[in-house]
Amino acid sequence: MTVASSLPILQETAQPERVGELPSSRVEEIRAFVAREMAEVEELLRVRVAAGVTPARESAHHLFEAGGKRVRPLGLLLATACFGPLDGRARDLATASELVHMATLLHDDVIDDGDQRRGRPTSRRVWGNAVSVLAGDMLLVEALRLASLKPEDVATWSELVATLARLVDGEIVQLRGRIAVSLEEATYFEVVRGKTASLFEWALRAGARTGGAPEAAIEALGRFGASIGVAFQLVDDLLDYDGDAARTGKTLFADLAEGKVTLPLIRAAAMLGGGDVAGLVERVRAGDADAARDLGVRVRDSGACDKVRILARAETARALSELASIPRCAASEALADVARGLAARVT
């Protein structure tokens, strides 16, 4: 199957007022739209993960085997397909986007002392922190090799380097919050835009540029990617407090138990009293499981989750509005449905 195929599931118009109507299972149907290309990306991921040396190779493969949504490569391929054919360059860049993401997960689990990732022990639990960090470094090297500088495409390479800098900066800002609890929304969004949104933005821009898009369209799809990146993180943070663990596979209060300060907690602190909440966060970080449960219930009962849910939908609507300047085609409609599918996780 190629992206040029016409599928009935992609015949709906991208309308912001329909945010949240799409069942999350629809994302899998959209993935089938580029099934051959996504299968090639998956195989290339397998090959690149296996390119390193023992034990970093096994550490990275442990994460690879756990699977994932692969939303970043999917978005990149669809952005390319809006303007041109899906060639080897698009496949390589799509794979690079996922390798960078996987590298950040390996590094994050070390920084956050994470024990579980996608329903299984983290790589650091199995191989140790040092190996997990080096496995992440190995994946970054493979990503850079795949996205290697091309004379005809200097912008994609330079933007990838800038994105890696934003990822690191976002991680450092978040790490500062482990020393002193910050309940500032500005700090939260600085982290989200650096750690999450920046890679989505790069993937959509790189995909559009590879497809031959004009500069205005590259900018629009970059903004689309940044917005769905923010919405994606808002939804993920919501699921920690207000999700269905059986459906999402994410244990309630798991991020909170690691001492992570996310927007539901920040909004709840503004309503409940920041000093009390900050004190509970400090107890959670000291390993107090009772404090984590108490704080989680307080956040959930405060109404903060409803406010963050509204914000996630607004961010998704902002992303969809950027598609107005993109030629209407099966691929652009698929991008809209991907955005709706991510938002639908909290409806």
Side-chain angles (χ1 to χ4, degrees):
M1 181 186 298
T2 67
V3 77
S5 304
S6 176
L7 298 180
I9 65 168
L10 298 172
Q11 292 178 348
E12 298 171 3
T13 303
Q15 298 174 352
E17 62 268 27
R18 295 185 59 252
V19 171
E21 290 184 14
L22 183 71
S24 57
S25 60
R26 185 72 167 273
V27 175
E28 292 305 317
E29 295 176 326
I30 296 165
R31 196 186 308 277
F33 183 54
V34 285
R36 186 185 70 187
E37 292 80 10
M38 287 298 291
E40 291 173 349
V41 167
E42 199 70 14
E43 175 60 18
L44 191 52
L45 278 172
R46 186 191 65 77
V47 170
R48 292 292 174 158
V49 166
V53 297
T54 299
R57 177 176 60 222
E58 287 77 13
S59 178
H61 192 261
H62 179 78
L63 176 61
F64 170 73
E65 281 188 321
K69 302 177 187 68
R70 310 292 194 242
V71 180
R72 294 156 190 83
L74 177 62
L76 192 151
L77 291 173
L78 290 173
T80 300
C82 287
F83 298 95
L86 291 170
D87 56 12
R89 178 65 170 167
R91 180 205 60 188
D92 287 350
L93 292 175
T95 306
S97 72
E98 189 66 16
L99 286 170
V100 171
H101 175 56
M102 291 172 63
T104 66
L105 297 183
L106 289 166
H107 289 164
D108 281 354
D109 286 337
V110 172
I111 293 169
D112 298 335
D113 295 325
D115 292 331
Q116 292 280 322
R117 170 73 65 183
R118 296 170 180 166
R120 60 194 316 197
T122 55
S123 290
R124 79 168 197 92
R125 283 282 306 279
V126 180
W127 282 275
N129 285 342
V131 171
S132 192
V133 168
L134 291 171
D137 293 346
M138 178 191 79
L139 295 184
L140 285 175
V141 170
E142 293 301 319
L144 291 170
R145 284 174 174 161
L146 278 173
S148 58
L149 180 63
K150 305 290 183 184
E152 69 277 12
D153 191 11
V154 174
T156 293
W157 170 261
S158 61
E159 287 179 9
L160 177 57
V161 173
T163 298
L164 293 178
R166 292 180 65 189
L167 288 166
V168 173
D169 288 347
E171 190 62 70
I172 292 171
V173 172
Q174 186 174 58
L175 186 60
R176 289 202 313 245
R178 293 176 68 88
I179 301 169
V181 175
S182 172
L183 297 174
E184 297 292 327
E185 283 197 23
T187 301
Y188 169 81
F189 280 108
E190 184 179 0
V191 172
V192 169
R193 292 190 178 101
K195 285 189 59 179
T196 305
S198 65
L199 187 55
F200 277 98
E201 181 179 358
W202 177 81
L204 271 292
R205 287 178 64 89
R209 187 178 290 111
T210 301
E215 190 60 33
I218 294 171
E219 295 290 335
L221 282 174
R223 291 190 296 269
F224 170 87
S227 287
I228 64 169
V230 172
F232 180 89
Q233 190 61 57
L234 289 171
V235 169
D236 211 49
D237 292 343
L238 269 172
L239 293 177
D240 195 51
Y241 291 94
D242 201 24
D244 180 350
R247 189 174 61 130
T248 65
K250 182 171 184 173
T251 304
L252 284 178
F253 310 150
D255 290 343
L256 175 61
E258 294 178 3
K260 293 181 179 178
V261 175
T262 58
L263 195 59
L265 176 60
I266 293 169
R267 288 287 176 98
M271 292 182 279
L272 300 174
D276 291 343
V277 170
L280 282 171
V281 173
E282 294 288 7
R283 287 171 54 193
V284 170
R285 290 179 174 177
D288 189 333
D290 290 336
R293 284 190 294 271
D294 179 27
L295 185 53
V297 171
R298 287 195 195 186
V299 171
R300 191 171 57 192
D301 293 346
S302 70
C305 291
D306 290 334
K307 295 181 182 298
V308 177
R309 184 176 288 107
I310 291 170
L311 190 60
R313 290 171 178 159
E315 199 66 46
T316 303
R318 185 175 295 111
L320 291 173
S321 70
E322 294 292 347
L323 296 181
S325 62
I326 305 303
R328 183 178 174 183
C329 60
S332 64
E333 292 177 8
L335 280 174
D337 279 346
V338 168
R340 293 193 191 101
L342 295 175
R345 295 186 296 159
V346 291
T347 58

